[in-house]
Amino acid sequence: MKSILQDDKECFATQSTSNLHKHHIFFGNGYRKISENNGFWVWLRQDWHNGEDYGVHSNRQFDLKLKRQCQAKFEETHSHEEFMRLIGRNYLP
């Protein structure tokens, strides 16, 4: 399934098209498959993925930003309850 946050294959943070990694926004404990099946992923340049301290796997603020944007986008066309059934946690204020 394509990403619900991106149409183009470019880094979500920088719009670069080189050295891209696919980042599953919700990961671990079975969430990676849920992310893959629902388009809860973005392209990130390697440094923005897991190569530097500012990358999503080291930067909690960036991680939460992606989770919030993903939830908000999903809930534009699906219910909050459906998101909660999939992920089990609310990321929106």
Side-chain angles (χ1 to χ4, degrees):
M1 170 165 236
K2 71 178 212 133
S3 171
I4 67 170
L5 292 178
Q6 290 182 291
D7 291 324
D8 298 323
K9 188 174 181 178
E10 64 185 21
C11 178
F12 190 78
T14 68
Q15 290 72 51
S16 172
T17 58
S18 64
N19 201 15
L20 297 176
H21 289 200
K22 189 178 195 178
H23 170 66
H24 294 85
I25 295 170
F26 304 99
F27 51 90
N29 298 325
Y31 291 109
R32 182 183 172 106
K33 186 173 184 177
I34 291 169
S35 287
E36 185 68 33
N37 291 340
N38 290 280
F40 300 163
W41 59 270
V42 293
W43 293 109
L44 291 172
R45 203 171 59 198
Q46 187 269 335
D47 56 324
W48 279 93
H49 186 227
N50 57 9
E52 296 291 339
D53 290 343
Y54 54 82
V56 70
H57 285 285
S58 300
N59 182 335
R60 182 68 175 148
Q61 290 308 107
F62 186 38
D63 178 50
L64 288 173
K65 178 182 176 181
L66 287 177
K67 285 173 168 55
R68 288 180 184 125
Q69 287 180 314
C70 184
Q71 180 180 349
K73 186 68 171 176
F74 182 80
E75 290 183 7
E76 287 178 10
T77 56
H78 298 77
S79 70
H80 176 72
E81 292 75 18
E82 188 173 350
F83 181 82
M84 293 301 290
R85 278 193 300 274
L86 288 170
I87 302 300
R89 182 171 176 194
N90 180 45
Y91 290 93
L92 298 177

